[in-house]
Amino acid sequence: AFIRALTVLVISCPCAVGIAVPLARVAGISMAGSHGILPRNFSAFDKARRLSAIVFDKTGTLTRGAWVLKRIFTVGAFTEAETLSMAAGIEAHSDHPIAEEIRDFAGRRGVPWAKVLGVRAMEGGLSGDFNGHALKFGSGPFLREEFRTMTGGGLAVLPIENGDASHVYMSLGGRPAAIFEFGDDLKDHASEAVNRLKEMGFLTVLLSGDGDRTTRIIGDRAGVHESHGDMGPWEKAQFVRRLQARGFKVAMAGDGINDALALSQSDLGIAVHSGGHLGREVADVTLMRGEPGQVLDFLYLARRVNRKVFQNLLFSFLYNLVAI
């Protein structure tokens, strides 16, 4: 009786169960790495199983993030060279794609950078001091008060939210100075990836700090269910929280530090490699190639891993049952 009792204990020892789950997940992480996907932990596979909504950041995630400065619309007595010089000066030490394009554009035009003092990063833009006057450069909401003072005639000649272009605004001494128009294109196969996610039953959403009209145009081209612009880091996180309150399990895909709050709030954070370190630190998964299709690749892989975990557990219990 003692020997038989010991035999039952040895057979029912959960060794097979203990191996079944981590072995499948280790194999999944290895396979993910070969596809340029880096899960930070085993739980990423289990989180992917419960998802019902995918939220994308726009710039650098669904779009290329390769900002191209198309035009500069000056206001009043300001010239294009003056506003470009001030923009390059206030963006002198920024690593944002907009800053890099402005500096490159000024270099191609032979425009020297203005000396801007006391540059401070704020939500929605930058502020500094140029020749004793307050210089501000950023999004529409960031300079809402300055541009609200413009006359109807002044506004009529400026392309506010023109097509799928994005705009960055500048003021000096509380007066509107210029509007910089940038263009950005969807990444290859972005719309195909979004359509496939929709076919799989996911709610797809596009969020951006750019203007609402611009974001909606890009969202229509990508084929997402919803598009929302003028979203700062806090608004993005709040939007994710509202989706969760409605019962959705949310994955957030973003590429920049401004997405870190939303990535942290989401049920599964997906960082695109082109973003800052903070975004990658709070994310569960990093897409090294930065392609929207890699979101699909990870979801497919997670399904295979979870299916294999269930299969391993099933056979482990069957083995114990038959042996006992």
Side-chain angles (χ1 to χ4, degrees):
F2 174 78
I3 291 174
R4 289 182 177 179
L6 189 62
T7 302
V8 170
L9 289 175
V10 169
I11 293 173
S12 60
C13 176
C15 295
V17 176
I19 294 173
V21 176
L23 194 61
R25 289 177 171 175
V26 167
I29 287 179
S30 176
M31 187 171 293
S34 68
H35 287 81
I37 303 171
L38 301 182
R40 284 178 59 87
N41 45 55
F42 287 146
S43 63
F45 296 112
D46 190 55
K47 291 177 180 178
R49 178 174 60 86
R50 299 190 293 267
L51 293 177
S52 55
I54 312 291
V55 177
F56 292 97
D57 171 55
K58 182 177 78 68
T59 306
T61 303
L62 276 190
T63 64
R64 297 182 183 278
W67 292 79
V68 178
L69 180 55
K70 295 181 175 181
R71 292 178 290 179
I72 302 175
F73 298 88
T74 59
V75 182
F78 292 100
T79 66
E80 180 176 312
E82 288 173 340
T83 57
L84 180 58
S85 176
M86 290 187 289
I90 199 170
E91 295 279 17
H93 302 292
S94 174
D95 60 356
H96 193 280
I98 286 180
E100 295 175 0
E101 171 61 12
I102 287 175
R103 294 195 296 264
D104 291 344
F105 193 86
R108 293 193 298 270
R109 294 290 182 91
V111 175
W113 301 358
K115 186 176 182 179
V116 182
L117 305 176
V119 177
R120 300 181 303 278
M122 306 172 71
E123 184 174 346
L126 300 171
S127 66
D129 182 85
F130 176 66
N131 290 341
H133 300 286
L135 176 64
K136 296 176 69 175
F137 189 67
S139 64
F142 182 61
L143 283 91
R144 190 186 310 277
E145 292 303 319
E146 287 84 348
F147 279 82
R148 184 178 292 168
T149 63
M150 296 181 63
T151 64
L155 284 171
V157 299
L158 296 173
I160 309 300
E161 300 298 342
N162 178 28
D164 60 355
S166 298
H167 298 90
V168 181
Y169 300 78
M170 173 184 286
S171 72
L172 182 65
R175 294 186 298 120
I179 297 179
F180 292 68
E181 183 175 278
F182 294 85
D184 195 9
D185 296 320
L186 281 175
K187 289 183 177 180
D188 294 336
H189 310 301
S191 57
E192 290 90 334
V194 169
N195 288 331
R196 183 66 187 123
L197 289 169
K198 290 164 65 176
E199 291 172 1
M200 294 167 67
F202 291 103
L203 171 70
T204 57
V205 182
L206 180 66
L207 303 181
S208 178
D210 293 337
D212 195 60
R213 176 179 167 79
T214 299
T215 303
R216 290 181 187 278
I217 291 174
I218 295 293
D220 289 342
R221 286 168 53 190
V224 297
H225 289 106
E226 300 179 20
S227 302
H228 303 277
D230 292 324
M231 305 281 281
W234 178 252
E235 286 78 14
K236 290 180 181 180
Q238 286 287 84
F239 184 86
V240 171
R241 189 176 291 114
R242 287 196 297 271
L243 281 180
Q244 292 169 328
R246 290 164 54 189
F248 288 98
K249 295 295 183 180
V250 183
M252 172 70 193
D255 79 316
I257 190 171
N258 61 327
D259 301 314
L261 278 175
L263 289 171
S264 179
Q265 175 64 40
S266 64
D267 297 285
L268 179 71
I270 303 174
V272 177
H273 180 59
S274 61
H277 292 288
L278 180 60
R280 294 198 296 272
E281 285 299 319
V282 300
D284 300 290
V285 181
T286 300
L287 309 181
M288 298 305 294
R289 295 201 304 270
E291 300 171 359
Q294 285 190 289
V295 175
L296 274 173
D297 292 340
F298 178 72
L299 293 177
Y300 287 139
L301 180 60
R303 286 187 175 185
R304 291 181 61 189
V305 169
N306 291 323
R307 187 164 57 243
K308 185 59 66 177
V309 166
F310 176 78
Q311 184 184 82
N312 287 354
L313 288 174
L314 176 64
F315 277 100
S316 296
F317 284 117
L318 284 176
Y319 150 75
N320 282 338
L321 182 64
V322 171
I324 289 174

